[in-house]
Amino acid sequence: MRKRMVSLLLCVLMLAGLLPTTAMAANDTMAFILGVQLEEGYYSTKGDNTRDDGTVIEGTDIDMESRSDTAPEGRNNYLHYQDGVLTVFGKVYIFASHYDGMSAALSVTSGTLTVKGSGSLRLYGSGVPALRVSSSAAINFDLTPNGSDMQLGI
């Protein structure tokens, strides 16, 4: 009886090994903005300006130190990253410079990054690429038209 139970257990384990592993695999996307690896969460913008009349104009430069688990309160310009999907809200500018030791504004080193949303994303590089995708990675852009003159600038 014991041998039959062990044989049955081994059969079940071998069958489990035949299941497709890609369906159970964790997201393997590795993406970086300004040299900081993206983690699940929200990234806000910085650089707010106040006009002479006291009106505050929300900044559009991404702040990679602003990551949080909740959407930024009172902000329209931000990014949300989850499971290999980067969603753009409002206007977000990412500027990388070789003076700051950056390798690219946005880089994808493995997996597939999907950029979506109805916002406007601008990638700039001064002496470095604005966008870098390694040979083992891919990037998809799935931006919803919003009537803006430009949703993606590289």
Side-chain angles (χ1 to χ4, degrees):
M1 181 71 175
R2 183 177 173 187
K3 287 184 180 182
R4 285 186 181 181
M5 292 302 282
V6 171
S7 296
L8 182 63
L9 178 65
L10 286 174
C11 285
V12 169
L13 288 174
M14 288 180 8
L15 286 173
L18 295 174
L19 293 174
T21 56
T22 55
M24 295 185 283
N27 186 327
D28 64 347
T29 300
M30 223 173 180
F32 298 82
I33 292 179
L34 301 177
V36 176
Q37 183 175 353
L38 287 175
E39 298 176 21
E40 289 192 2
Y42 295 85
Y43 296 88
S44 185
T45 55
K46 61 183 177 181
D48 294 355
N49 293 311
T50 305
R51 292 185 177 170
D52 292 337
D53 65 2
T55 306
V56 176
I57 306 299
E58 187 176 339
T60 55
D61 294 332
I62 194 67
D63 181 4
M64 291 308 292
E65 296 176 5
S66 70
R67 197 202 77 70
S68 73
D69 293 329
T70 58
E73 195 172 316
R75 311 254 340 150
N76 296 313
N77 303 329
Y78 60 94
L79 299 173
H80 178 248
Y81 179 73
Q82 183 174 358
D83 297 328
V85 178
L86 184 65
T87 306
V88 182
F89 296 90
K91 293 181 180 180
V92 178
Y93 294 179
I94 303 172
F95 177 79
S97 170
H98 67 284
Y99 293 115
D100 298 325
M102 302 291 164
S103 62
L106 172 62
S107 59
V108 185
T109 58
S110 67
T112 300
L113 177 68
T114 299
V115 179
K116 68 176 199 169
S118 59
S120 174
L121 178 64
R122 309 280 168 87
L123 304 174
Y124 297 99
S126 174
V128 297
L131 176 62
R132 173 175 281 164
V133 181
S134 73
S135 60
S136 62
I139 189 165
N140 296 322
F141 292 98
D142 184 18
L143 297 166
T144 305
N146 64 6
S148 172
D149 59 336
M150 181 188 312
Q151 283 187 270
L152 177 65
I154 300 176

PDB file of all heavy atoms in Angstrom, residues 80-99:
ATOM      1  N   HIS A  80       1.924  55.429 -13.148  1.00  0.00           N
ATOM      2  CA  HIS A  80       1.611  54.271 -12.319  1.00  0.00           C
ATOM      3  C   HIS A  80       2.233  53.053 -12.979  1.00  0.00           C
ATOM      4  O   HIS A  80       2.067  52.837 -14.182  1.00  0.00           O
ATOM      5  CB  HIS A  80       0.097  54.078 -12.181  1.00  0.00           C
ATOM      6  CG  HIS A  80      -0.247  52.867 -11.383  1.00  0.00           C
ATOM      7  ND1 HIS A  80      -0.847  51.766 -11.939  1.00  0.00           N
ATOM      8  CD2 HIS A  80      -0.055  52.575 -10.070  1.00  0.00           C
ATOM      9  CE1 HIS A  80      -1.020  50.846 -10.995  1.00  0.00           C
ATOM     10  NE2 HIS A  80      -0.549  51.309  -9.865  1.00  0.00           N
ATOM     11  N   TYR A  81       2.978  52.259 -12.192  1.00  0.00           N
ATOM     12  CA  TYR A  81       3.621  51.057 -12.724  1.00  0.00           C
ATOM     13  C   TYR A  81       3.113  49.832 -11.975  1.00  0.00           C
ATOM     14  O   TYR A  81       3.095  49.812 -10.745  1.00  0.00           O
ATOM     15  CB  TYR A  81       5.136  51.140 -12.582  1.00  0.00           C
ATOM     16  CG  TYR A  81       5.837  49.900 -13.093  1.00  0.00           C
ATOM     17  CD1 TYR A  81       5.928  49.661 -14.455  1.00  0.00           C
ATOM     18  CD2 TYR A  81       6.380  48.974 -12.228  1.00  0.00           C
ATOM     19  CE1 TYR A  81       6.549  48.518 -14.936  1.00  0.00           C
ATOM     20  CE2 TYR A  81       7.001  47.827 -12.691  1.00  0.00           C
ATOM     21  CZ  TYR A  81       7.084  47.606 -14.052  1.00  0.00           C
ATOM     22  OH  TYR A  81       7.690  46.482 -14.527  1.00  0.00           O
ATOM     23  N   GLN A  82       2.688  48.822 -12.745  1.00  0.00           N
ATOM     24  CA  GLN A  82       2.266  47.555 -12.145  1.00  0.00           C
ATOM     25  C   GLN A  82       2.326  46.455 -13.190  1.00  0.00           C
ATOM     26  O   GLN A  82       1.819  46.609 -14.303  1.00  0.00           O
ATOM     27  CB  GLN A  82       0.845  47.653 -11.591  1.00  0.00           C
ATOM     28  CG  GLN A  82       0.391  46.393 -10.893  1.00  0.00           C
ATOM     29  CD  GLN A  82      -0.964  46.562 -10.225  1.00  0.00           C
ATOM     30  OE1 GLN A  82      -1.567  47.626 -10.247  1.00  0.00           O
ATOM     31  NE2 GLN A  82      -1.431  45.495  -9.635  1.00  0.00           N
ATOM     32  N   ASP A  83       2.953  45.359 -12.831  1.00  0.00           N
ATOM     33  CA  ASP A  83       3.005  44.155 -13.676  1.00  0.00           C
ATOM     34  C   ASP A  83       3.461  44.433 -15.102  1.00  0.00           C
ATOM     35  O   ASP A  83       2.866  43.954 -16.068  1.00  0.00           O
ATOM     36  CB  ASP A  83       1.644  43.458 -13.707  1.00  0.00           C
ATOM     37  CG  ASP A  83       1.215  42.945 -12.337  1.00  0.00           C
ATOM     38  OD1 ASP A  83       2.103  42.567 -11.555  1.00  0.00           O
ATOM     39  OD2 ASP A  83       0.003  42.917 -12.070  1.00  0.00           O
ATOM     40  N   GLY A  84       4.510  45.221 -15.265  1.00  0.00           N
ATOM     41  CA  GLY A  84       5.051  45.483 -16.594  1.00  0.00           C
ATOM     42  C   GLY A  84       4.288  46.511 -17.401  1.00  0.00           C
ATOM     43  O   GLY A  84       4.554  46.680 -18.587  1.00  0.00           O
ATOM     44  N   VAL A  85       3.335  47.210 -16.772  1.00  0.00           N
ATOM     45  CA  VAL A  85       2.547  48.231 -17.467  1.00  0.00           C
ATOM     46  C   VAL A  85       2.794  49.587 -16.806  1.00  0.00           C
ATOM     47  O   VAL A  85       2.592  49.742 -15.601  1.00  0.00           O
ATOM     48  CB  VAL A  85       1.040  47.896 -17.442  1.00  0.00           C
ATOM     49  CG1 VAL A  85       0.230  48.997 -18.116  1.00  0.00           C
ATOM     50  CG2 VAL A  85       0.787  46.554 -18.112  1.00  0.00           C
ATOM     51  N   LEU A  86       3.223  50.553 -17.600  1.00  0.00           N
ATOM     52  CA  LEU A  86       3.445  51.922 -17.142  1.00  0.00           C
ATOM     53  C   LEU A  86       2.319  52.782 -17.711  1.00  0.00           C
ATOM     54  O   LEU A  86       2.209  52.949 -18.926  1.00  0.00           O
ATOM     55  CB  LEU A  86       4.798  52.431 -17.632  1.00  0.00           C
ATOM     56  CG  LEU A  86       5.210  53.814 -17.162  1.00  0.00           C
ATOM     57  CD1 LEU A  86       5.425  53.840 -15.650  1.00  0.00           C
ATOM     58  CD2 LEU A  86       6.501  54.246 -17.869  1.00  0.00           C
ATOM     59  N   THR A  87       1.468  53.316 -16.817  1.00  0.00           N
ATOM     60  CA  THR A  87       0.322  54.123 -17.235  1.00  0.00           C
ATOM     61  C   THR A  87       0.638  55.592 -17.012  1.00  0.00           C
ATOM     62  O   THR A  87       1.095  55.971 -15.928  1.00  0.00           O
ATOM     63  CB  THR A  87      -0.945  53.722 -16.453  1.00  0.00           C
ATOM     64  OG1 THR A  87      -1.134  52.301 -16.595  1.00  0.00           O
ATOM     65  CG2 THR A  87      -2.163  54.440 -16.996  1.00  0.00           C
ATOM     66  N   VAL A  88       0.391  56.410 -18.035  1.00  0.00           N
ATOM     67  CA  VAL A  88       0.686  57.836 -17.995  1.00  0.00           C
ATOM     68  C   VAL A  88      -0.592  58.618 -17.729  1.00  0.00           C
ATOM     69  O   VAL A  88      -1.593  58.441 -18.431  1.00  0.00           O
ATOM     70  CB  VAL A  88       1.301  58.305 -19.343  1.00  0.00           C
ATOM     71  CG1 VAL A  88       1.663  59.770 -19.285  1.00  0.00           C
ATOM     72  CG2 VAL A  88       2.502  57.449 -19.714  1.00  0.00           C
ATOM     73  N   PHE A  89      -0.535  59.482 -16.722  1.00  0.00           N
ATOM     74  CA  PHE A  89      -1.647  60.380 -16.402  1.00  0.00           C
ATOM     75  C   PHE A  89      -1.151  61.808 -16.554  1.00  0.00           C
ATOM     76  O   PHE A  89      -0.100  62.165 -16.019  1.00  0.00           O
ATOM     77  CB  PHE A  89      -2.134  60.165 -14.964  1.00  0.00           C
ATOM     78  CG  PHE A  89      -2.707  58.803 -14.725  1.00  0.00           C
ATOM     79  CD1 PHE A  89      -1.904  57.755 -14.317  1.00  0.00           C
ATOM     80  CD2 PHE A  89      -4.061  58.571 -14.912  1.00  0.00           C
ATOM     81  CE1 PHE A  89      -2.433  56.499 -14.091  1.00  0.00           C
ATOM     82  CE2 PHE A  89      -4.601  57.319 -14.691  1.00  0.00           C
ATOM     83  CZ  PHE A  89      -3.779  56.279 -14.274  1.00  0.00           C
ATOM     84  N   GLY A  90      -1.904  62.636 -17.272  1.00  0.00           N
ATOM     85  CA  GLY A  90      -1.511  64.036 -17.448  1.00  0.00           C
ATOM     86  C   GLY A  90      -0.272  64.171 -18.319  1.00  0.00           C
ATOM     87  O   GLY A  90      -0.045  63.380 -19.237  1.00  0.00           O
ATOM     88  N   LYS A  91       0.576  65.179 -18.010  1.00  0.00           N
ATOM     89  CA  LYS A  91       1.817  65.418 -18.754  1.00  0.00           C
ATOM     90  C   LYS A  91       3.004  65.037 -17.886  1.00  0.00           C
ATOM     91  O   LYS A  91       3.152  65.524 -16.773  1.00  0.00           O
ATOM     92  CB  LYS A  91       1.940  66.893 -19.124  1.00  0.00           C
ATOM     93  CG  LYS A  91       0.912  67.360 -20.123  1.00  0.00           C
ATOM     94  CD  LYS A  91       1.126  68.820 -20.444  1.00  0.00           C
ATOM     95  CE  LYS A  91       0.083  69.290 -21.441  1.00  0.00           C
ATOM     96  NZ  LYS A  91       0.253  70.706 -21.778  1.00  0.00           N
ATOM     97  N   VAL A  92       3.839  64.151 -18.422  1.00  0.00           N
ATOM     98  CA  VAL A  92       5.021  63.713 -17.692  1.00  0.00           C
ATOM     99  C   VAL A  92       6.228  63.830 -18.604  1.00  0.00           C
ATOM    100  O   VAL A  92       6.229  63.293 -19.710  1.00  0.00           O
ATOM    101  CB  VAL A  92       4.866  62.262 -17.189  1.00  0.00           C
ATOM    102  CG1 VAL A  92       6.122  61.808 -16.478  1.00  0.00           C
ATOM    103  CG2 VAL A  92       3.656  62.138 -16.268  1.00  0.00           C
ATOM    104  N   TYR A  93       7.264  64.537 -18.118  1.00  0.00           N
ATOM    105  CA  TYR A  93       8.512  64.697 -18.855  1.00  0.00           C
ATOM    106  C   TYR A  93       9.612  63.947 -18.105  1.00  0.00           C
ATOM    107  O   TYR A  93       9.714  64.041 -16.886  1.00  0.00           O
ATOM    108  CB  TYR A  93       8.909  66.155 -18.958  1.00  0.00           C
ATOM    109  CG  TYR A  93       7.987  67.023 -19.792  1.00  0.00           C
ATOM    110  CD1 TYR A  93       8.236  68.374 -19.940  1.00  0.00           C
ATOM    111  CD2 TYR A  93       6.868  66.502 -20.425  1.00  0.00           C
ATOM    112  CE1 TYR A  93       7.399  69.183 -20.703  1.00  0.00           C
ATOM    113  CE2 TYR A  93       6.031  67.298 -21.190  1.00  0.00           C
ATOM    114  CZ  TYR A  93       6.301  68.635 -21.315  1.00  0.00           C
ATOM    115  OH  TYR A  93       5.466  69.426 -22.065  1.00  0.00           O
ATOM    116  N   ILE A  94      10.423  63.213 -18.865  1.00  0.00           N
ATOM    117  CA  ILE A  94      11.564  62.506 -18.291  1.00  0.00           C
ATOM    118  C   ILE A  94      12.808  62.973 -19.042  1.00  0.00           C
ATOM    119  O   ILE A  94      12.951  62.709 -20.233  1.00  0.00           O
ATOM    120  CB  ILE A  94      11.390  60.980 -18.399  1.00  0.00           C
ATOM    121  CG1 ILE A  94      10.088  60.541 -17.715  1.00  0.00           C
ATOM    122  CG2 ILE A  94      12.577  60.269 -17.770  1.00  0.00           C
ATOM    123  CD1 ILE A  94       9.735  59.090 -17.929  1.00  0.00           C
ATOM    124  N   PHE A  95      13.687  63.666 -18.347  1.00  0.00           N
ATOM    125  CA  PHE A  95      14.881  64.247 -18.951  1.00  0.00           C
ATOM    126  C   PHE A  95      16.119  63.616 -18.326  1.00  0.00           C
ATOM    127  O   PHE A  95      16.295  63.663 -17.107  1.00  0.00           O
ATOM    128  CB  PHE A  95      14.918  65.760 -18.744  1.00  0.00           C
ATOM    129  CG  PHE A  95      16.156  66.400 -19.291  1.00  0.00           C
ATOM    130  CD1 PHE A  95      16.272  66.655 -20.648  1.00  0.00           C
ATOM    131  CD2 PHE A  95      17.207  66.731 -18.458  1.00  0.00           C
ATOM    132  CE1 PHE A  95      17.415  67.238 -21.165  1.00  0.00           C
ATOM    133  CE2 PHE A  95      18.357  67.310 -18.963  1.00  0.00           C
ATOM    134  CZ  PHE A  95      18.463  67.564 -20.314  1.00  0.00           C
ATOM    135  N   ALA A  96      16.973  63.017 -19.155  1.00  0.00           N
ATOM    136  CA  ALA A  96      18.214  62.403 -18.678  1.00  0.00           C
ATOM    137  C   ALA A  96      19.404  63.116 -19.301  1.00  0.00           C
ATOM    138  O   ALA A  96      19.367  63.516 -20.463  1.00  0.00           O
ATOM    139  CB  ALA A  96      18.245  60.924 -19.038  1.00  0.00           C
ATOM    140  N   SER A  97      20.449  63.279 -18.502  1.00  0.00           N
ATOM    141  CA  SER A  97      21.653  63.949 -18.975  1.00  0.00           C
ATOM    142  C   SER A  97      22.881  63.120 -18.617  1.00  0.00           C
ATOM    143  O   SER A  97      22.936  62.516 -17.546  1.00  0.00           O
ATOM    144  CB  SER A  97      21.766  65.328 -18.318  1.00  0.00           C
ATOM    145  OG  SER A  97      23.023  65.889 -18.577  1.00  0.00           O
ATOM    146  N   HIS A  98      23.848  63.131 -19.516  1.00  0.00           N
ATOM    147  CA  HIS A  98      25.089  62.413 -19.219  1.00  0.00           C
ATOM    148  C   HIS A  98      25.830  63.067 -18.058  1.00  0.00           C
ATOM    149  O   HIS A  98      26.626  62.432 -17.385  1.00  0.00           O
ATOM    150  CB  HIS A  98      25.975  62.336 -20.471  1.00  0.00           C
ATOM    151  CG  HIS A  98      26.516  63.645 -20.927  1.00  0.00           C
ATOM    152  ND1 HIS A  98      25.736  64.567 -21.595  1.00  0.00           N
ATOM    153  CD2 HIS A  98      27.738  64.203 -20.801  1.00  0.00           C
ATOM    154  CE1 HIS A  98      26.474  65.630 -21.884  1.00  0.00           C
ATOM    155  NE2 HIS A  98      27.683  65.439 -21.405  1.00  0.00           N
ATOM    156  N   TYR A  99      25.547  64.322 -17.775  1.00  0.00           N
ATOM    157  CA  TYR A  99      26.170  65.005 -16.646  1.00  0.00           C
ATOM    158  C   TYR A  99      25.739  64.397 -15.315  1.00  0.00           C
ATOM    159  O   TYR A  99      26.447  64.471 -14.323  1.00  0.00           O
ATOM    160  CB  TYR A  99      25.829  66.500 -16.644  1.00  0.00           C
ATOM    161  CG  TYR A  99      26.433  67.254 -17.797  1.00  0.00           C
ATOM    162  CD1 TYR A  99      25.627  67.828 -18.763  1.00  0.00           C
ATOM    163  CD2 TYR A  99      27.813  67.368 -17.921  1.00  0.00           C
ATOM    164  CE1 TYR A  99      26.182  68.515 -19.829  1.00  0.00           C
ATOM    165  CE2 TYR A  99      28.379  68.037 -18.985  1.00  0.00           C
ATOM    166  CZ  TYR A  99      27.556  68.614 -19.936  1.00  0.00           C
ATOM    167  OH  TYR A  99      28.106  69.285 -20.989  1.00  0.00           O
TER     168      TYR A  99
END
